Amino acid sequence: NGPDALGLLKTNEVSVIISDQKMSPMTGVEFLEEATRISPRSMRMMLTGFSDYDAIVEAINKGHIYRYISKPWENRDLEIDVRTAVERYEVQTALDRRVAELQTLCEIGALVTSELSSARVVDMVLEAVVNTLGFNRSFMMLVDESDNMLKCCGYVWPGSAGVSDSALEYVSELEYDLNRDDVAVVLSVKENRPILVEDVEDPPVSVDREAVERIGIRSFVTAPLKVGTRSIGVLFADRTGNGDRVSEHDQQLLMGFADQAAIALENARLY
């Protein structure tokens, strides 16, 4: 019934709602009108007799239904309608998420690029990678041209309770010779490209096995920090434990933010 369904909508994300018109204690139109307020992005469909023209018009106006289905219906047609509704919901949800992400990146970018302290820029960037972009951990390495090395300049490790002090110290002192070709972060800088490693047990490029084991890396992505065509460093972010692994979407997010971070770092350096 309608009240029970509204209770479910308050605690569950629902892509498609299918309701009958004639129900008790509330009609389908009344239910869908209230459902619109609770779950506005859900696709709404109503089952009704062909003769219920007034109910259909009312459902369109108040319940904002995606489609009404006349009784009796053909199962195959109903299946097609549901699949189409789900696909439409997923496209709209992905679009809304992307718009929100871009807005957030613009806001963070404006904040970061207004900062003129290099150390503060590093802190703000790494905190945003974890707290806003949703990664578990992050660290940044910058190129030291005086000795051709890539050196860690900061890290955010909110899950440090599960990481030993020695591992944290190891990260802070992490550095690589830029002549190496067997480390993902170095390749990201030298080749000026992002690197996605969904599983460290089956990486597409060479990884530092010692770092993987000591830090507990499972899935990570790197993004070069670029000023023009020159890479000045690399941004690293990972996911740990049993949660989701990094994806191509994560890589795109980090790349977009890395471009802003590189500009902020260069501005601070020049200042």
Side-chain angles (χ1 to χ4, degrees), residues 12 20 26 36-37 47 53 55 113 158 163 174 182 185-186 197 203 205 211 218 220 249 253 258:
N12 295 274
D20 201 346
M26 62 197 310
T36 301
R37 287 191 282 269
L47 306 173
Y53 177 79
T113 52
V163 182
L174 202 58
D182 60 341
V185 288
V186 174
V197 177
V205 298
R218 185 177 67 93
F220 71 89
H249 179 68
L253 272 181

Side-chain angles (χ1 to χ4, degrees), residues 171-191:
V171 173
S172 66
E173 298 177 351
L174 202 58
E175 60 180 38
Y176 297 105
D177 189 317
L178 283 171
N179 291 318
R180 294 182 61 171
D181 58 4
D182 60 341
V183 182
V185 288
V186 174
L187 290 175
S188 190
V189 171
K190 291 172 64 174
E191 299 177 5

Side-chain angles (χ1 to χ4, degrees), residues 12 17 54 61 82 91 139 156 160 162 181-182 190 200 234 236:
N12 295 274
I17 301 170
D54 291 339
N61 292 333
V82 171
V91 168
F139 65 80
V156 172
S160 58
D181 58 4
D182 60 341
K190 291 172 64 174
V200 294
V234 63
F236 171 100

